[in-house]
Amino acid sequence: MDISLSASDLVAEAWFQNMPAEGSDLIMSARAELITAEGPYFRGIDADASLPRCMTGRPLSSTSTGGPHIVNLTGGRGWPLHTFMRRHADPQIIVTEAFWA
């Protein structure tokens, strides 16, 4: 199977590869936490208990808890925005934006 990346995918990959190690390490850690979360679709009250101290997760909009979510890293210094795609066995997590300052 041939999987080709779009131009925007290539730009995003290059941007991520050039991100400072501290930021990319935290974003990859947040991704790992999301993938292994016991209930990744629900991230409400006390849902951050399993996240490391430097990460907090929440829906991007309180009125759309099934929509995009954000994980704030080190008090808002960076974040990945992500959505969950429901699948039968396990969720698919799509990161739509990552930022580090």
Side-chain angles (χ1 to χ4, degrees):
M1 178 186 299
D2 179 30
I3 299 175
S4 57
L5 298 175
S6 70
S8 62
D9 291 337
L10 294 172
V11 169
E13 178 67 22
W15 187 85
F16 183 76
Q17 295 298 326
N18 290 317
M19 183 182 290
E22 180 184 13
S24 61
D25 289 349
L26 277 172
I27 287 172
M28 293 306 287
S29 294
R31 179 184 171 273
E33 292 291 339
L34 293 169
I35 289 170
T36 59
E38 194 171 310
Y41 294 115
F42 175 72
R43 301 212 49 92
I45 298 170
D46 294 333
D48 295 339
S50 66
L51 292 176
R53 192 171 56 91
C54 64
M55 297 179 195
T56 59
R58 63 177 174 79
L60 197 55
S61 170
S62 62
T63 59
S64 179
T65 57
H69 285 64
I70 186 169
V71 176
N72 287 312
L73 306 171
T74 63
R77 186 166 175 209
W79 60 81
L81 294 180
H82 62 280
T83 57
F84 296 109
M85 302 300 290
R86 288 194 180 270
R87 295 194 308 185
H88 217 321
D90 58 344
Q92 179 179 3
I93 297 167
I94 309 287
V95 175
T96 57
E97 180 181 316
F99 175 78
W100 186 256

